[in-house]
Amino acid sequence: MTGMEIFDLARYTGAAIFMGVGLIFVLAGAIGVIRMPDFYTRMHAAGVTDTLGAELIITGLILQAGDWQTVAKLLLVGLLLFLTSPTATHAVANAAHRAQLKPDLSHHKPAHPSEAGKGEEAS
């Protein structure tokens, strides 16, 4: 194998790794959106994993790109996505907060202090 063939193999392997890890993050975000109990936790799951997963996939595509013009376009898309995705998530969550959408705390609500000792005495 020549040096250029080794470089191409390493580049394609790195691209596959970046895209695979990005796919895992995007899938984790999709599962989080389905499984989370309320709007705010779903927004968090979607916002965080969407940005990171998409950036990793774009990094893999940059490694796989053949010419500098494609790399420049992918870098621009990555920059715009990096700036707009968290901003859009914040704007939607802020709109929900202003509309007085309350988070679902029923799954995480601690027992009232007057009821805290009752479970221990009954045992």
Side-chain angles (χ1 to χ4, degrees), residues 45-121:
V48 171
T49 58
D50 176 44
T51 304
L52 182 60
E55 291 294 333
L56 287 171
I57 290 171
I58 289 173
T59 302
L61 290 173
I62 287 171
L63 288 175
Q64 201 174 29
D67 59 342
W68 290 105
Q69 186 177 12
T70 306
V71 169
K73 289 176 185 178
L74 286 169
L75 285 172
L76 182 61
V77 168
L79 176 67
L80 290 174
L81 183 69
F82 183 74
L83 295 175
T84 58
S85 183
T87 306
T89 301
H90 174 74
V92 172
N94 190 29
H97 178 70
R98 286 179 184 243
Q100 298 178 348
L101 180 66
K102 301 292 181 197
D104 180 18
L105 300 176
S106 63
H107 301 289
H108 308 289
K109 188 179 279 185
H112 191 271
S114 65
E115 298 175 4
K118 289 183 181 177
E120 297 171 6
E121 293 172 6

